[in-house]
Amino acid sequence: MLDINQIRNDFPILQQTVNGKPLVYFDNAATTQKPMQVIDRMSRYYKNENSNVHRGVHYLSQVATEAYEASRTYIANYIHASDPSEIVFTRGTTESINLVASVFESFIKEEDEIVITSMEHHSNLVPWQQLCFRTGARLVVVKASVDGELDTREFEKALNDKTRLVAIAHISNVLGTINPVKEITRLAHAAGSVVVIDGAQAIAHLPVNVADIDCEFYAFSGHKTYAPMGIGVLYGKKKWLEKLSPYQYGGEMIESVRFDKTIFNSLPYKFEAGTPNVAGALGLEEAMRYIAGFGVDEIKQYEDKLMDYATGELKKLEGMQIIGTAKQKAAVISFVIEGIHAYDLGTLLDKMGVALRTGNHCAQPLVESYGLTSTVRISLAMYNTLEEIDIFMGALQKAVSMLR
Ligand code: PLP
């Protein structure tokens, strides 16, 4: 059992009032809050260890380099990568996916196909769409059912010997659907395709095991996993990272440079041009240690309890339509209420101290497929409580009666 009071004490930002009301933070799919352990780790780095990495012979540079590389090792172990060199630090999921979409271009020909799903965030859609525009390849979209589920038989039908790459979210940021990524990876491999998984919504809420999934690439952001903004990870199978050309050029990513020739650095540095976000990497390690301290399975169980309770309460409201009712779901609940604009609800709820999200959640094609332009979304995390759901429901009912 998680001690939620103890957890909440680790997050000072949650103790504040907003518009005179205790803050209810239900926008965790956009970004999670950071515990003191993470904030302290970063502050300790800047107070005592700050130096550029991989460059200096001096003491601080060695301390910073060791800490940075230890973070890489911890993260590799956390997601079951086979080697720390399979962990490339990036700015976040978006950069990780863009990295692959950019350097994968040399493997894509005009007659090829790239398969995505209808539930992708723009970050896992636009880079592939643009890659198709550049190469003449075809973007194939596998549609989710109205419930927000992917039928693996439908998925299989979309795959053929032209499929070069399959890109799919582990968890949809709108529907909450947990996709069967292991099964989809197996099907994609049978068709000879590589697999890129957008793990932005999964990493803080599910155990992630890239060895078990067997995907070629897995992307995630620190800031959605209780870690700082501006740090993220691209996991890539060594075999693939070795084959791919660098993404950016400059310092760090080279082994030797002459005016007529450059030899690139070994993995993962080949993909880490320039000074990296060292404090961010240390913060991410600390956040993963924090999650591991409670156990991600325990966290999932608790978040499921919150989701079930919130879903049950929401369903009692007249005119309520929940968007995304897959059997395998994470604690992301999108909804609309008949006759009321999502934005109006969001604005009124903010006045009552509730932070949630309205809009298309960077998944415009998906939201439009429901005939909508926006939904209200609550997304829960391990520090949220049943009491907060009650406060939210009270505020929602009040907002609905004001708007009706
Ligand atoms: N993919 C999904 C499923 C997301 O929810 C998000 C952010 O909301 C992203 C990708 C992009 O993440 P970032 O903005 O951290 O790069």
Side-chain angles (χ1 to χ4, degrees):
M1 282 290 283
L2 303 180
D3 182 345
I4 305 302
N5 286 334
Q6 184 210 325
I7 291 176
R8 288 184 70 83
N9 281 338
D10 291 334
F11 291 82
I13 202 167
L14 298 175
Q15 323 300 331
Q16 68 187 291
T17 53
V18 168
N19 294 321
K21 302 280 191 309
L23 168 66
V24 173
Y25 186 79
F26 280 1
D27 195 19
N28 294 288
T31 198
T32 51
Q33 301 302 347
K34 325 302 174 201
M36 273 320 294
Q37 289 80 345
V38 169
I39 297 167
D40 284 345
R41 180 65 193 97
M42 294 177 69
S43 153
R44 204 162 75 234
Y45 169 73
Y46 281 121
K47 275 186 192 154
N48 306 321
E49 299 160 274
N50 177 51
S51 177
N52 213 327
V53 289
H54 303 138
R55 292 181 194 193
V57 289
H58 63 79
Y59 170 79
L60 280 181
S61 180
Q62 284 171 23
V63 169
T65 303
E66 270 169 33
Y68 181 62
E69 291 307 324
S71 293
R72 196 191 304 279
T73 303
Y74 186 86
I75 294 160
N77 291 334
Y78 187 94
I79 64 166
H80 304 268
S82 65
D83 193 86
S85 66
E86 295 186 320
I87 302 297
V88 176
F89 284 119
T90 63
R91 277 194 302 129
T93 310
T94 304
E95 188 175 47
S96 297
I97 295 172
N98 273 281
L99 190 165
V100 183
S102 161
V103 299
F104 210 78
E105 189 166 332
S106 57
F107 291 85
I108 301 288
K109 297 186 294 301
E110 200 176 337
E111 58 276 18
D112 291 343
E113 295 183 351
I114 293 177
V115 176
I116 62 168
T117 81
S118 60
M119 66 173 90
E120 300 312 316
H121 186 280
H122 297 160
S123 292
N124 200 30
L125 186 168
V126 185
W128 308 119
Q129 176 198 59
Q130 297 298 313
L131 174 58
C132 287
F133 289 163
R134 292 199 299 276
T135 56
R138 196 163 82 91
L139 188 70
V140 177
V141 183
V142 179
K143 290 204 169 58
S145 70
V146 180
D147 291 343
E149 288 188 349
L150 286 176
D151 181 342
T152 46
R153 278 163 309 185
E154 284 302 309
F155 212 99
E156 200 170 3
K157 281 191 212 154
L159 303 169
N160 58 54
D161 59 2
K162 294 181 196 157
T163 313
R164 289 291 153 268
L165 188 143
V166 169
I168 179 170
H170 200 164
I171 295 180
S172 159
N173 66 308
V174 179
L175 308 168
T177 309
I178 303 174
N179 283 316
V181 286
K182 184 176 173 178
E183 174 63 2
I184 281 169
T185 302
R186 193 185 65 75
L187 296 173
H189 285 173
S193 170
V194 305
V195 177
V196 180
I197 297 178
D198 169 354
Q201 294 299 338
I203 193 74
H205 308 281
L206 282 184
V208 171
N209 184 331
V210 291
D212 184 51
I213 299 170
D214 201 26
C215 54
E216 277 66 33
F217 301 100
Y218 194 99
F220 62 91
S221 304
H223 73 96
K224 293 185 198 284
T225 181
Y226 311 106
M229 292 187 172
I231 186 77
V233 165
L234 174 68
Y235 157 80
K237 273 188 187 166
K238 209 169 182 173
K239 187 181 97 181
W240 270 100
L241 291 179
E242 269 163 0
K243 265 196 248 188
L244 297 172
S245 306
Y247 170 54
Q248 293 181 329
Y249 299 89
E252 296 276 350
M253 55 74 64
I254 50 85
E255 191 183 295
S256 85
V257 179
R258 305 271 182 287
F259 282 118
D260 60 348
K261 187 178 173 186
T262 291
I263 298 172
F264 302 132
N265 207 339
S266 56
L267 291 180
Y269 313 110
K270 182 172 98 177
F271 293 104
E272 291 185 2
T275 299
N277 180 355
V278 179
L282 306 192
L284 178 54
E285 175 192 349
E286 199 60 36
M288 289 183 146
R289 284 184 185 279
Y290 186 79
I291 293 172
F294 300 107
V296 73
D297 289 306
E298 293 278 319
I299 293 171
K300 166 97 178 61
Q301 247 179 37
Y302 177 69
E303 290 177 355
D304 281 351
K305 191 168 113 185
L306 293 178
M307 172 177 60
D308 290 345
Y309 181 63
T311 305
E313 292 301 297
L314 282 169
K315 278 185 179 163
K316 291 180 189 163
L317 285 189
E318 202 192 311
M320 168 64 59
Q321 184 191 355
I322 293 183
I323 310 295
T325 50
K327 280 181 223 72
Q328 298 295 323
K329 255 195 88 164
V332 173
I333 310 172
S334 281
F335 62 89
V336 285
I337 300 179
E338 205 181 343
I340 299 179
H341 200 283
Y343 179 79
D344 294 339
L345 276 179
T347 308
L348 280 181
L349 283 160
D350 172 58
K351 298 269 178 291
M352 296 183 249
V354 180
L356 45 66
R357 187 140 298 232
T358 63
N360 65 31
H361 318 293
C362 296
Q364 192 178 347
L366 173 69
V367 172
E368 285 181 355
S369 74
Y370 286 90
L372 301 167
T373 52
S374 63
T375 77
V376 181
R377 180 187 73 187
I378 60 168
S379 48
L380 309 171
M382 64 164 142
Y383 41 61
N384 291 130
T385 63
L386 295 170
E387 293 72 33
E388 283 184 311
I389 294 172
D390 289 337
I391 295 171
F392 156 68
M393 285 306 302
L396 182 62
Q397 274 156 350
K398 202 164 159 190
V400 167
S401 60
M402 285 163 82
L403 293 165
R404 278 224 170 102

